[in-house]
Amino acid sequence: MENIDATVITTSLPAMARDLHQDPISLKMALTAYVVGLGIFIPICGWVSDRFGARNVFRTAIGIFMAGSILCAVSFSLPTFVFARFLQGVGGAMMVPVGRLVIFRAVPKHDLVKAIGYLTMPALLGPVIGPPLGGAITAYLHWRWIFFVNIPVSLLGIYLAGKYIDNERGGDAGPLDAIGFVLSALGSGLLMLGLAMIGEHQVSDTVVITMCVLGGVFVYAYWRHANRVEAPLLDFRLMRIPTFHASVVGGSLFRIGLGAVPFLLPLALQEGLHMDPFESGMITCASAFGAIFMKAIAQRVLARFGFRQVLIVNAALAGLALASYGLFTHTTPVIVMLGVVAFGGFFPSLQFTCLNSIVYADIASEDASRATSLASVVQQLSLGLGVTISGMVLQASSRLAGHTELVASDFLPAFLVIGLFSWLSIPVTRQLPADAGTELARKH
C-alpha cells in the first residue's frame, strides 16, 4: 500500500499541480512533508512497539495512513494537501519499521537474507502497479481517486494484522526519552522543510535560512544529548559496529540518489518529453520488473561474491544506470527507455537486499528496537533529501538556461547528481571487512 501510494502520486504530480494551481516542482513539498512525518515519528517506533505491542502499533499505523489518504483525496489547496501527506507519513513511520522488527524477532539470523527477500517482494509490486495505475486514473478519471485505493487495502491490512501478528513486546520499554524526541523532531522537521522551501518563494529567504540553521542546531543538540543518556531514542553508539555503520551511512548516500527517481523520472517523461501520465507510468514501472528479477538471483550472487564486493560494484553500476536517465530525448526509442529503466531497478534492488540484511548482521537481539529506529530514520530522511536535492538542481538548471517551462535538457544535471550520490556510497562500504556478513551469505 505504501509503495503503491508513493509511485501513484509521483506519476500524477503534474496533474495535481495544475489542479492546485502550483508549479509541478513545488509539489515536492508534498513528498517532503511525508518524509518529515517519517523523520519525526520513526525514532519512537521501537519504544512504542516495546511499550504497546507490535500488533497494536501496526494496526494503528495503518488506520492513521488511511485517514491521511482520505484527507489527500479531499484537499483543494497545497497547504491542506501537504498536511494530509504529513499525516500519511505519521502512519508510515510505524508500518515499515515495526513490520521489519517483527520479522527480525521471528526469524533465525541465518534465514534473514531469505526473510528480507520475502519482505521486500510485496513492496516491489508497488512500483509495478503504481505508475500505470496512477497514470490510468489520472488520464481517464481524476487524480483524487488514487487515494481511495488505500481504503480497502487498509481495512484488509488491519484485519490480517489482528489475525496473524502477535502483540509481542520487546521486554521492558523503560521511560521514553522525551527530551531526545523533542530535539530529534524539531531538528529533522525544520531541516527537511527548510531545504524543501529553498527557491519556492512561499516564505521569505530569511525564514528558510532560519529554519535550516535551527534544524541543524537541534540535530547537533540531539547528538550531544544522545551521547550523554543511557537509553537514547537514536543510539549513535551502534555506529561502532562496522556492518551497521556501512549499512546506515553507505545506504543513506545510496538512498539519496535513488529517492529522487520516483519524483524526477515521471516529471522528466511528462514535462520534458510531453508524454501523458499513462505512457509515463508504463515506462516508470519497468524498474520494478528489473527489481523483481534481481530478487530471484540475489541470494546466489551474495553467496558467490560476498556482501562487500557486491555493495561496491553494484553501487557503481546503479549510479551509471540512474545518471543515464538524463540522456533521454524525444528521439530516444521507447524500447531503449524501458531497458535502461529496468536496469535502474535491477541494480538498486540488489543493493537494498544487501543493505537491509547486513544492518542486522551483528546486532544483538536486545538492541533490535534501537537499531531499527536509527536505521529507519536515516533511510527515510535520505529518501526525502533525494527529492529535495534533485528539485533544487532541477530548478537551478532550468533558471540558468532561461527556460520558463521545463524542457528535457533541464533534467540532465539532476540525474547526474543523483547518480553521483550512489557512487559516494562506495568509499563507505569499502571499509567493510572482506568477510562481513559471511554467515548470512554462506547459508544461501
Side-chain angles (χ1 to χ4, degrees):
M1 178 176 64
E2 192 173 23
N3 280 269
I4 288 176
D5 186 83
T7 51
V8 164
I9 287 175
T10 53
T11 305
S12 307
L13 277 181
M16 292 179 185
R18 287 190 291 271
D19 255 21
L20 299 176
H21 309 293
Q22 299 290 330
D23 182 90
I25 303 178
S26 298
L27 255 70
K28 74 175 187 290
M29 281 292 298
L31 304 182
T32 303
Y34 181 85
V35 179
V36 169
L38 293 174
I40 290 175
F41 287 94
I42 281 178
I44 63 171
C45 72
W47 182 87
V48 171
S49 178
D50 289 343
R51 175 68 177 82
F52 298 103
R55 181 180 62 214
N56 290 340
V57 174
F58 194 71
R59 297 178 78 190
T60 302
I62 296 175
I64 293 172
F65 191 89
M66 180 174 64
S69 299
I70 295 171
L71 288 177
C72 284
V74 298
S75 295
F76 286 91
S77 68
L78 181 61
T80 55
F81 187 67
V82 167
F83 172 76
R85 286 290 291 161
F86 172 80
L87 190 60
Q88 281 188 311
V90 175
M94 299 294 175
M95 281 197 295
V96 175
V98 173
R100 189 177 300 165
L101 189 58
V102 169
I103 294 294
F104 174 78
R105 286 173 174 164
V107 175
K109 187 165 288 189
H110 61 77
D111 281 333
L112 198 56
V113 173
K114 183 184 292 185
I116 292 295
Y118 286 136
L119 183 66
T120 54
M121 278 299 290
L124 292 174
L125 294 176
V128 173
I129 300 170
L133 177 64
I137 291 175
T138 303
Y140 305 117
L141 295 173
H142 195 281
W143 62 263
R144 297 184 187 279
W145 284 97
I146 66 180
F147 295 102
F148 290 119
V149 174
N150 293 332
I151 296 175
V153 181
S154 295
L155 294 175
L156 178 63
I158 291 171
Y159 166 74
L160 293 175
K163 185 175 182 179
Y164 292 109
I165 296 181
D166 293 331
N167 198 39
E168 182 182 358
R169 291 174 169 86
D172 182 17
L176 174 66
D177 178 16
I179 295 176
F181 175 63
V182 171
L183 291 175
S184 67
L186 289 172
S188 61
L190 287 171
L191 190 58
M192 289 297 299
L193 284 176
L195 291 172
M197 287 183 177
I198 293 176
E200 291 297 316
H201 306 297
Q202 296 178 11
V203 295
S204 68
D205 291 343
T206 302
V207 172
V208 172
I209 294 172
T210 301
M211 290 174 69
C212 292
V213 171
L214 285 176
V217 169
F218 282 119
V219 168
Y220 176 73
Y222 176 79
W223 179 77
R224 293 289 302 271
H225 167 80
N227 287 324
R228 289 197 303 266
V229 299
E230 183 178 348
L233 283 177
L234 302 176
D235 192 351
F236 293 107
R237 288 168 290 199
L238 294 170
M239 289 292 190
R240 298 168 187 167
I241 302 172
T243 49
F244 188 82
H245 177 271
S247 178
V248 173
V249 178
S252 67
L253 292 169
F254 186 82
R255 286 180 174 88
I256 288 175
L258 197 67
V261 174
F263 164 72
L264 206 56
L265 183 57
L267 205 60
L269 296 175
Q270 294 181 49
E271 297 296 304
L273 302 182
H274 305 295
M275 294 182 178
D276 66 41
F278 185 68
E279 291 175 312
S280 166
M282 292 302 293
I283 292 175
T284 303
C285 77
S287 65
F289 288 103
I292 290 173
F293 175 73
M294 173 53 77
K295 289 298 179 188
I297 65 172
Q299 294 173 359
R300 282 174 286 175
V301 172
L302 285 172
R304 172 67 179 84
F305 298 103
F307 278 87
R308 182 178 181 272
Q309 188 172 352
V310 169
L311 284 168
I312 293 170
V313 175
N314 197 65
L317 296 174
L320 287 173
L322 298 181
S324 65
Y325 292 172
L327 301 176
F328 292 165
T329 67
H330 294 280
T331 60
T332 305
V334 172
I335 190 66
V336 173
M337 292 186 190
L338 288 170
V340 172
V341 172
F343 276 109
F346 182 87
F347 297 116
S349 174
L350 178 59
Q351 200 78 357
F352 283 146
T353 297
C354 296
L355 294 168
N356 291 336
S357 299
I358 205 169
V359 70
Y360 292 117
D362 301 309
I363 294 294
S365 180
E366 61 269 19
D367 293 330
S369 294
R370 291 183 296 139
T372 298
S373 296
L374 179 56
S376 297
V377 73
V378 174
Q379 290 169 9
Q380 295 299 333
L381 290 176
S382 299
L383 293 172
L385 276 174
V387 175
T388 300
I389 292 170
S390 63
M392 291 166 57
V393 175
L394 181 58
Q395 282 179 321
S397 62
S398 178
R399 289 174 181 174
L400 287 174
H403 297 150
T404 56
E405 295 183 355
L406 292 172
V407 299
S409 59
D410 294 333
F411 290 88
L412 178 58
F415 281 116
L416 289 175
V417 167
I418 67 173
L420 176 62
F421 274 101
S422 297
W423 300 326
L424 288 176
S425 69
I426 295 175
V428 180
T429 52
R430 282 179 63 89
Q431 298 174 17
L432 275 173
D435 61 348
T438 301
E439 180 187 355
L440 299 178
R442 185 170 53 242
K443 294 291 182 180
H444 303 283

